[in-house]
PDB file of all heavy atoms in Angstrom:
ATOM      1  N   MET A1041     -19.548  34.118  41.544  1.00 90.00           N
ATOM      2  CA  MET A1041     -20.808  33.409  41.678  1.00 90.00           C
ATOM      3  C   MET A1041     -20.546  31.908  41.741  1.00 90.00           C
ATOM      4  O   MET A1041     -19.819  31.359  40.919  1.00 90.00           O
ATOM      5  CB  MET A1041     -21.727  33.700  40.475  1.00 90.00           C
ATOM      6  CG  MET A1041     -22.137  35.164  40.359  1.00 90.00           C
ATOM      7  SD  MET A1041     -22.666  35.581  38.666  1.00 90.00           S
ATOM      8  CE  MET A1041     -21.073  35.620  37.833  1.00 90.00           C
ATOM      9  N   GLY A1042     -21.150  31.247  42.709  1.00 88.00           N
ATOM     10  CA  GLY A1042     -21.088  29.810  42.849  1.00 88.00           C
ATOM     11  C   GLY A1042     -22.493  29.219  42.883  1.00 88.00           C
ATOM     12  O   GLY A1042     -23.437  29.932  43.240  1.00 88.00           O
ATOM     13  N   VAL A1043     -22.638  27.994  42.480  1.00 89.00           N
ATOM     14  CA  VAL A1043     -23.961  27.369  42.392  1.00 89.00           C
ATOM     15  C   VAL A1043     -23.967  26.045  43.159  1.00 89.00           C
ATOM     16  O   VAL A1043     -23.048  25.206  43.003  1.00 89.00           O
ATOM     17  CB  VAL A1043     -24.353  27.086  40.937  1.00 89.00           C
ATOM     18  CG1 VAL A1043     -25.771  26.515  40.844  1.00 89.00           C
ATOM     19  CG2 VAL A1043     -24.281  28.372  40.118  1.00 89.00           C
ATOM     20  N   ILE A1044     -25.009  25.873  43.971  1.00 89.00           N
ATOM     21  CA  ILE A1044     -25.279  24.551  44.564  1.00 89.00           C
ATOM     22  C   ILE A1044     -26.654  24.151  44.054  1.00 89.00           C
ATOM     23  O   ILE A1044     -27.655  24.816  44.330  1.00 89.00           O
ATOM     24  CB  ILE A1044     -25.270  24.629  46.105  1.00 89.00           C
ATOM     25  CG1 ILE A1044     -23.921  25.128  46.620  1.00 89.00           C
ATOM     26  CG2 ILE A1044     -25.613  23.283  46.733  1.00 89.00           C
ATOM     27  CD1 ILE A1044     -23.873  25.386  48.128  1.00 89.00           C
ATOM     28  N   THR A1045     -26.684  23.104  43.233  1.00 83.00           N
ATOM     29  CA  THR A1045     -27.917  22.674  42.577  1.00 83.00           C
ATOM     30  C   THR A1045     -28.415  21.386  43.217  1.00 83.00           C
ATOM     31  O   THR A1045     -27.777  20.331  43.107  1.00 83.00           O
ATOM     32  CB  THR A1045     -27.668  22.454  41.073  1.00 83.00           C
ATOM     33  OG1 THR A1045     -27.109  23.613  40.523  1.00 83.00           O
ATOM     34  CG2 THR A1045     -28.987  22.142  40.367  1.00 83.00           C
ATOM     35  N   ARG A1046     -29.546  21.473  43.889  1.00 78.00           N
ATOM     36  CA  ARG A1046     -30.163  20.282  44.570  1.00 78.00           C
ATOM     37  C   ARG A1046     -29.123  19.529  45.389  1.00 78.00           C
ATOM     38  O   ARG A1046     -29.033  18.309  45.324  1.00 78.00           O
ATOM     39  CB  ARG A1046     -30.802  19.409  43.493  1.00 78.00           C
ATOM     40  CG  ARG A1046     -31.993  20.089  42.812  1.00 78.00           C
ATOM     41  CD  ARG A1046     -32.510  19.335  41.629  1.00 78.00           C
ATOM     42  NE  ARG A1046     -33.667  20.065  41.040  1.00 78.00           N
ATOM     43  CZ  ARG A1046     -34.039  19.924  39.798  1.00 78.00           C
ATOM     44  NH1 ARG A1046     -33.395  19.108  38.982  1.00 78.00           N
ATOM     45  NH2 ARG A1046     -35.046  20.610  39.325  1.00 78.00           N
ATOM     46  N   GLY A1047     -28.374  20.286  46.122  1.00 79.00           N
ATOM     47  CA  GLY A1047     -27.392  19.707  47.066  1.00 79.00           C
ATOM     48  C   GLY A1047     -26.064  19.369  46.460  1.00 79.00           C
ATOM     49  O   GLY A1047     -25.125  18.984  47.157  1.00 79.00           O
ATOM     50  N   GLN A1048     -25.910  19.518  45.134  1.00 76.00           N
ATOM     51  CA  GLN A1048     -24.669  19.138  44.457  1.00 76.00           C
ATOM     52  C   GLN A1048     -23.874  20.414  44.134  1.00 76.00           C
ATOM     53  O   GLN A1048     -24.384  21.336  43.499  1.00 76.00           O
ATOM     54  CB  GLN A1048     -24.954  18.372  43.170  1.00 76.00           C
ATOM     55  CG  GLN A1048     -25.640  17.042  43.383  1.00 76.00           C
ATOM     56  CD  GLN A1048     -24.735  16.060  44.134  1.00 76.00           C
ATOM     57  OE1 GLN A1048     -23.565  15.922  43.852  1.00 76.00           O
ATOM     58  NE2 GLN A1048     -25.330  15.358  45.081  1.00 76.00           N
ATOM     59  N   THR A1049     -22.636  20.430  44.599  1.00 80.00           N
ATOM     60  CA  THR A1049     -21.717  21.514  44.257  1.00 80.00           C
ATOM     61  C   THR A1049     -20.775  21.014  43.155  1.00 80.00           C
ATOM     62  O   THR A1049     -20.154  19.992  43.299  1.00 80.00           O
ATOM     63  CB  THR A1049     -20.875  21.949  45.472  1.00 80.00           C
ATOM     64  OG1 THR A1049     -21.761  22.281  46.537  1.00 80.00           O
ATOM     65  CG2 THR A1049     -20.001  23.136  45.145  1.00 80.00           C
ATOM     66  N   ARG A1050     -20.740  21.776  42.082  1.00 77.00           N
ATOM     67  CA  ARG A1050     -19.948  21.330  40.933  1.00 77.00           C
ATOM     68  C   ARG A1050     -18.471  21.417  41.207  1.00 77.00           C
ATOM     69  O   ARG A1050     -17.956  22.453  41.644  1.00 77.00           O
ATOM     70  CB  ARG A1050     -20.320  22.190  39.715  1.00 77.00           C
ATOM     71  CG  ARG A1050     -19.523  21.831  38.452  1.00 77.00           C
ATOM     72  CD  ARG A1050     -19.963  22.723  37.316  1.00 77.00           C
ATOM     73  NE  ARG A1050     -19.004  22.711  36.213  1.00 77.00           N
ATOM     74  CZ  ARG A1050     -19.033  23.554  35.182  1.00 77.00           C
ATOM     75  NH1 ARG A1050     -19.979  24.470  35.133  1.00 77.00           N
ATOM     76  NH2 ARG A1050     -18.131  23.483  34.258  1.00 77.00           N
ATOM     77  N   ILE A1051     -17.753  20.302  40.978  1.00 74.00           N
ATOM     78  CA  ILE A1051     -16.292  20.285  41.077  1.00 74.00           C
ATOM     79  C   ILE A1051     -15.723  20.394  39.679  1.00 74.00           C
ATOM     80  O   ILE A1051     -16.081  19.634  38.791  1.00 74.00           O
ATOM     81  CB  ILE A1051     -15.800  18.959  41.716  1.00 74.00           C
ATOM     82  CG1 ILE A1051     -16.253  18.868  43.197  1.00 74.00           C
ATOM     83  CG2 ILE A1051     -14.273  18.854  41.639  1.00 74.00           C
ATOM     84  CD1 ILE A1051     -15.485  19.739  44.128  1.00 74.00           C
ATOM     85  N   GLU A1052     -14.886  21.382  39.486  1.00 76.00           N
ATOM     86  CA  GLU A1052     -14.230  21.559  38.194  1.00 76.00           C
ATOM     87  C   GLU A1052     -12.843  20.941  38.276  1.00 76.00           C
ATOM     88  O   GLU A1052     -12.008  21.366  39.041  1.00 76.00           O
ATOM     89  CB  GLU A1052     -14.134  23.052  37.866  1.00 76.00           C
ATOM     90  CG  GLU A1052     -13.760  23.326  36.424  1.00 76.00           C
ATOM     91  CD  GLU A1052     -13.923  24.797  36.079  1.00 76.00           C
ATOM     92  OE1 GLU A1052     -14.360  25.569  36.971  1.00 76.00           O
ATOM     93  OE2 GLU A1052     -13.639  25.149  34.937  1.00 76.00           O
TER      94      GLU A1052
END
Side-chain angles (χ1 to χ4, degrees):
M1041 297 159 286
V1043 183
I1044 302 174
T1045 306
R1046 294 171 180 157
Q1048 296 295 316
T1049 304
R1050 178 179 163 192
I1051 294 284
E1052 193 170 359

